[in-house]
Amino acid sequence: MSFEEYNPPSTLVVPENPVKRAKFPFIDIHSHQWNVSQERVNILVKEMDELNMGVMVNLSGRGRGAAGDIDGQEYMYSMIRRFNGVAPGRFIVFTNLSFREFGAPGWSERAVADLEKDVQNGANGLKIYKSLGLSTKDINGVRVPIDHPDLDPVWKKCGELGIPVIIHAADPEPFWQPLDANNERWLELKLNPNRKRSDTDPAPFAQIIAEQHHVFQKHPKTTFINAHMGWMANDLDKASAHLDKYPNVYFGIGAVIAEFGRQPKRANRFFTEYQDRILFAKDAYNKEEFYTYFRVLETEDEYFPYYKKYHAFWSMYGLGLSDEVLKKVYYKNAIKIIPNIDKSGFPD
């Protein structure tokens, strides 16, 4: 029997309080939806109502990947019209950058002009994919660092426009470590070998993360959401120091709930202390996977399973967050930093 196959149900007998509907209406600030037909929007709204999701933030405004094609803007405008026409108030759309011809004269000016036009046409934030810092290259085939000076006008303009930037940098640090029995992400890398990184493919983890942090430092008037908690959910002392150092940064908790679920006491203290800086986020959309997020955040259940063994081969424990903390994480913090959210569906 292989490690992948060995996954026995627990014989532990403890109280179980599964949660299929969030205690309060929530805003998922990290979702990806593409090619949204009227039928797809209707399905999403039905599932959102069942989950108690008041608003979904679609970060893939211009489509998949780095949004480098010429039709990206029209694609997004069509999506915004569809969302607003079928389900007004239920969806917020973020735009993306096109890195076509990055490094050529005038790129920064064109990017800023596109950003202004996108906001005028309904975009309410900017999403930066992890391709920046990993695979995005300039016209000479050179990796574009996250803190490249040609991007400074974009970050500055986001601050002037009052829209947040959600930025995903790098991958989990174990992706850069040897693929052996000491690597906590061994199973994920075995199943997805293309995710393995190294100091030369494309750069050291610490360097990419430092580039991201340099952007936060250079643009204190711009609000940033550090997606996936900047891969610091497994080290909450480091995460705390990060928020203390960069008051313009918030954390999105997408795809890192398993880290909180194995340290419930420490995580409860972290959420309580930084309750004004944490945003509910899920990332890949799957209705049933939200149940684990709710159960970790809301209950005090012990030793219940996670939904992807290659993310977490350990069991979860509930944080039992207070109602006030839950409200801030679920919706209040998002309403504070993302413009044009319909507040009518959220209490106080």
Side-chain angles (χ1 to χ4, degrees), residues 80 100 104 118 129 174 190 195 219 229-230 240 248:
I80 292 172
R100 286 171 61 95
D118 288 352
Y129 294 106
K190 179 178 184 294
R195 297 180 184 178
H219 296 277
M229 277 190 59
S240 299
N248 56 325

Side-chain angles (χ1 to χ4, degrees), residues 66 98-104 107 131-145 148 201-202:
S98 169
F99 287 94
R100 286 171 61 95
E101 298 298 309
F102 187 91
W107 184 92
S131 49
L132 179 63
L134 287 177
S135 60
T136 298
K137 296 181 180 179
D138 65 15
I139 55 175
N140 299 310
V142 177
R143 181 186 76 92
V144 178
H148 194 290
D201 179 20

Side-chain angles (χ1 to χ4, degrees), residues 192-217:
N192 302 279
N194 62 308
R195 297 180 184 178
K196 184 71 176 70
R197 310 286 183 184
S198 73
D199 285 353
T200 57
D201 179 20
F205 173 82
Q207 178 181 333
I208 297 171
I209 294 299
E211 292 168 1
Q212 184 203 48
H213 295 183
H214 188 209
V215 171
F216 300 159
Q217 182 268 324

Side-chain angles (χ1 to χ4, degrees), residues 21 38-53 56 86-87 90-91 285 287:
R21 179 179 172 84
Q38 180 172 335
E39 180 184 15
R40 178 59 180 163
V41 175
N42 287 331
I43 291 172
L44 285 173
V45 169
K46 179 178 181 295
E47 294 184 347
M48 291 163 64
D49 289 343
E50 292 169 353
L51 293 167
N52 206 13
M53 185 192 303
M56 175 187 288
V86 178
R90 300 302 299 275
F91 296 90
Y285 181 82
K287 179 190 171 188

